[in-house]
Amino acid sequence: MTRPAHQFNSIIVRSPSRSVVNGLRAADRGSPTYEGVKAEHDAYVEAMRDAGVKVTVLPALEAFPDSIFVEDPALVFTEGAVLLRPGAATRVKEVEEIAPTLRDMFETVLDLPQGYADGGDVLTTRESVMIGLSARTDTAGAAALQACLEKLGRKSEVVATPEGVLHFKTDCSLLDDETILSTDRLARSGVFGEFRQMIIPEGEEPAANALRVNDVVLVGSDFPRTIEMLDKAGYGVVPLKTTEIGKIDAGLSCMSLRWFSEKV
Ligand code: CIR
């Protein structure tokens, strides 16, 4: 495959519901406000359009507080989509909600037959798809996902997520085909092998969930040292507010499904 893994022309997002204030979180740092999440989401959609992608906006789902985080119930690639089985009980049925859209947009849509896997645990690089085991993604789900990925012609590997970290991608993101942005705790586990690694400055760990889209890197605006590091390294940084979604353990990758469609 010659296309860079960060080249996208299509994304799907879902508007936040008012129930987003009840989103899942590991530790209570206060609830986000609906208005605050909505403003962060609106700015994200605008930044995505500026980055050159076509945005499909799905309607809010009041019954599912975390459904704004469309990255978790599915995976999408140029070659097809995979409907996952989220590891949090309150999120399982988000899959049925997104399935019709994916069936409309993709010729090939596979179902994860067993186990549990969240899209937040999946990092797609040019060479392979990394699947992090976590409290949301178990070994059965990871193995089933590897079989689905093989059907789509994608190589994959199963790796570990640091203890206590929600998702694999909570702690890392792809900056380009050779470079990963990672927390020190994840990088130290050695999972990134030959990649050039840029380590998040101590105290800014949530900044690791950044998002490279075409020529820009979206980064949480609460993390000035990470922004400076990426800027000095020559990346085109677009800071975006993530303060409210951060209260429910989310970052920038969580709010979209991204792929390069040959039909656009
Ligand atoms: C959850 O716990 O499922 C949500 N509150 C946050 C999901 C974040 N998603 C992601 O990292 N892909």
Side-chain angles (χ1 to χ4, degrees), residues 157-174:
E157 58 190 301
V158 179
V159 293
T161 303
E163 194 65 36
V165 173
L166 173 61
H167 286 130
F168 186 68
K169 270 192 317 220
T170 304
D171 266 31
C172 67
S173 38
L174 188 78

Side-chain angles (χ1 to χ4, degrees), residues 11-261:
I11 69 164
I12 294 172
V13 301
R14 187 181 289 287
S15 298
S17 54
R18 291 198 167 264
S19 61
V20 71
V21 298
N22 301 318
L24 293 172
R25 68 211 73 177
D28 194 8
R29 280 168 281 137
S31 290
T33 63
Y34 165 73
E35 290 74 16
V37 173
K38 173 91 172 63
E40 289 176 6
H41 193 260
D42 286 349
Y44 180 82
V45 169
E46 200 181 315
M48 285 290 198
R49 290 196 173 114
D50 288 348
V53 302
K54 181 177 172 211
V55 184
T56 300
V57 184
L58 302 181
L61 298 171
E62 284 306 327
F64 299 99
D66 287 298
S67 57
I68 173 182
F69 306 123
V70 281
E71 176 175 71
D72 293 318
L75 284 178
V76 293
F77 304 92
T78 303
E79 304 86 354
V82 184
L83 294 168
L84 298 172
R85 302 181 73 220
T90 56
R91 304 201 57 189
V92 174
K93 292 196 167 157
E94 288 178 29
V95 178
E96 291 167 25
E97 300 287 344
I98 202 149
T101 303
L102 297 183
R103 292 207 170 95
D104 273 356
M105 296 179 106
F106 291 86
E107 268 166 42
T108 306
V109 180
L110 305 174
D111 288 287
L112 193 76
Q114 63 198 29
Y116 294 96
D118 272 17
D121 282 316
V122 178
L123 180 73
T124 300
T125 73
R126 187 144 75 164
E127 302 306 327
S128 89
V129 179
M130 302 179 80
I131 307 167
L133 297 174
S134 72
R136 300 282 178 90
T137 296
D138 62 9
T139 49
L145 181 53
Q146 286 198 284
C148 292
L149 292 168
E150 204 178 317
K151 284 187 194 156
L152 295 177
R154 294 263 173 175
K155 281 194 205 150
S156 65
E157 58 190 301
V158 179
V159 293
T161 303
E163 194 65 36
V165 173
L166 173 61
H167 286 130
F168 186 68
K169 270 192 317 220
T170 304
D171 266 31
C172 67
S173 38
L174 188 78
L175 289 175
D176 54 46
D177 285 333
E178 289 81 40
T179 318
I180 302 271
L181 178 67
S182 174
T183 59
D184 183 51
R185 64 191 167 205
L186 177 56
R188 268 191 284 117
S189 73
V191 284
F192 297 123
E194 298 299 301
F195 278 100
R196 182 164 78 107
Q197 294 164 50
M198 294 189 72
I199 306 299
I200 294 287
E202 202 183 333
E204 292 198 350
E205 283 71 19
N209 186 268
L211 187 57
R212 174 79 193 256
V213 179
N214 300 331
D215 295 337
V216 297
V217 184
L218 312 183
V219 186
S221 57
D222 291 332
F223 310 110
R225 287 178 294 143
T226 304
I227 290 172
E228 192 188 348
M229 176 178 79
L230 295 175
D231 187 53
K232 279 192 177 150
Y235 292 102
V237 178
V238 175
L240 286 178
K241 201 158 175 283
T242 55
T243 318
E244 294 302 299
I245 60 164
K247 292 176 185 169
I248 45 175
D249 301 342
L252 292 163
S253 76
C254 319
M255 294 191 287
S256 58
L257 285 171
R258 306 160 291 279
W259 77 107
F260 186 89
S261 167

